[in-house]
Amino acid sequence: MEKPVRERIVDSYFWKDQCFAVNEADIIDRVVEHVKFVGGTYGDSQKPSPFLCLAFKLLQLGPTDDVLQEYLEYGGEKFKYLRALAVFYVRLTRKATDVYLFLEPFLEDKRKLVMRTRTGKRLTFMDEFVDSLLTKERMCSTTLWKMPSRAQLEDEEKLDPRISPLGDIENLLDSEPEEIDGGDGSDGNGRNRS
Amino acid sequence: WDDEEEDEDEVDDTDDLDPEAEYAAWKLRELKRIKRDREAIEAHEKELEEIERRKNLTEEERKAEDDAFLAKQKEEKDSKGKMS
């Protein structure tokens, strides 16, 4: 997280009131009680969201993989915003292969989330949120460290290909007309200049 | 935090209001992602093929290709003028 954001967090009332002397179990209570949307800073005053404050708290606490697994799985099943917080934290702190392995199962989680940005609230979904964390450079007022793509890691044999819960994707996709693009030999040089 | 602001532009995040539609919407998102990822891989493979092909060219052939490319680039730039 960038310094200005961190400063806004520690200056915020929510931080002072709700994030003092909080342990890993308290985090769950705080999320359940106060996190009603995901997001970074919002509004004209760029107020940090409870979500972001608690993410910052997690950065200080540095929970182990086991604790994260609890947040993600059991806790996350019950409380979607707890899962959202945990996936965000994993994205910030774990190495690329682990990020993919931890996060991808939740591309199946279609639950709704409210996302609050500077301009207002909008609907998003857990799977969309996770996908954005895997593919975007910036989320929730936080620059995400540059991760190698999944394909890269597959090439290096650090990851097995992901199997979508939809099963045999070939059939689903191949039913759409394939694009014919120049065919072989033209190598993207579609322009005809003789 | 939760003392003000509520109720102005509320977005409802209640799940399972219409499970079938929600599943269908998710499926569409998932398909789009798969398609996007696959297209990225295809583009990457194409690039590798091109690199491989270039490797197999002679020095002269490569130079000729580069010159042609630069000329084309220049031509496009000239004809376009400014970014549209």
Side-chain angles (χ1 to χ4, degrees), chain A residues 1-155:
Chain A
M1 279 183 203
E2 289 108 35
K3 197 155 172 266
V5 171
R6 292 202 309 266
E7 282 170 355
R8 283 203 184 84
I9 290 172
V10 296
D11 275 344
S12 71
Y13 181 58
F14 182 83
W15 175 260
K16 289 173 187 160
D17 195 48
Q18 296 289 328
C19 301
F20 180 70
V22 161
N23 66 26
E24 287 158 344
D26 301 329
I27 289 274
I28 301 172
D29 298 337
R30 296 293 185 276
V31 172
V32 171
E33 198 162 337
H34 300 297
V35 176
K36 309 291 178 212
F37 54 87
V38 297
T41 57
Y42 62 90
D44 292 334
S45 57
Q46 298 191 44
K47 194 170 162 177
S49 66
F51 178 86
L52 195 65
C53 292
L54 289 168
F56 186 59
K57 191 74 212 178
L58 279 183
L59 287 171
Q60 293 183 334
L61 290 170
T64 61
D65 286 0
D66 290 343
V67 172
L68 285 175
Q69 225 31 286
E70 280 304 309
Y71 289 168
L72 290 168
E73 297 288 341
Y74 182 73
E77 208 50 49
K78 273 184 158 161
F79 309 114
K80 51 190 177 180
Y81 287 100
L82 178 62
R83 179 173 287 171
L85 178 68
V87 294
F88 182 63
Y89 175 76
V90 166
R91 174 64 177 86
L92 296 182
T93 56
R94 295 304 190 257
K95 66 178 186 345
T97 46
D98 290 341
V99 172
Y100 285 105
L101 294 174
F102 270 114
L103 263 52
E104 280 174 344
F106 307 120
L107 290 171
E108 286 174 52
D109 187 345
K110 58 184 185 303
R111 285 179 293 180
K112 294 170 193 158
L113 295 172
V114 176
M115 158 89 76
R116 184 161 193 170
T117 61
R118 193 172 290 207
T119 45
K121 292 181 184 172
R122 69 175 178 85
L123 193 64
T124 183
F125 306 88
M126 187 73 74
D127 58 290
E128 203 171 66
F129 184 64
V130 168
D131 182 59
S132 298
L133 287 171
L134 292 176
T135 53
K136 291 197 173 156
E137 291 171 8
R138 206 175 153 76
M139 286 288 285
C140 304
S141 312
T142 309
T143 303
L144 306 171
W145 66 278
K146 176 102 181 88
M147 253 191 350
S149 71
R150 189 174 219 297
Q152 257 169 291
L153 293 170
E154 283 175 26
D155 288 346

Side-chain angles (χ1 to χ4, degrees), chain A residues 13-14 17 34 47 80-81 107 111-112 121 125 127 131 162 164 169-170 173 181 187 191, chain B residues 1-2 4 10-15 22 26 29-30 33-34 36 38 46 50 53 76:
Chain A
Y13 181 58
F14 182 83
D17 195 48
H34 300 297
K47 194 170 162 177
K80 51 190 177 180
Y81 287 100
L107 290 171
R111 285 179 293 180
K112 294 170 193 158
K121 292 181 184 172
F125 306 88
D127 58 290
D131 182 59
R162 170 172 182 257
S164 167
I169 292 310
E170 302 298 323
L173 284 179
D181 45 4
D187 285 311
R191 189 162 298 211
Chain B
W1 58 106
D2 51 8
E4 5 137 351
E10 249 1 90
V11 178
D12 186 11
D13 63 355
T14 314
D15 296 297
E22 285 161 35
W26 169 79
R29 294 195 296 274
E30 175 78 359
R33 286 193 287 267
I34 292 165
R36 175 201 65 197
R38 182 195 280 216
K46 251 193 164 163
E50 169 68 3
R53 189 188 65 80
E76 274 172 11

Side-chain angles (χ1 to χ4, degrees), chain A residues 150-186:
Chain A
R150 189 174 219 297
Q152 257 169 291
L153 293 170
E154 283 175 26
D155 288 346
E156 294 166 21
E157 296 186 348
K158 288 178 182 160
L159 280 181
D160 293 326
R162 170 172 182 257
I163 313 280
S164 167
L166 292 177
D168 195 356
I169 292 310
E170 302 298 323
N171 292 337
L172 290 163
L173 284 179
D174 286 350
S175 55
E176 289 172 80
E178 282 275 326
E179 261 189 29
I180 301 155
D181 45 4
D184 32 12
S186 71

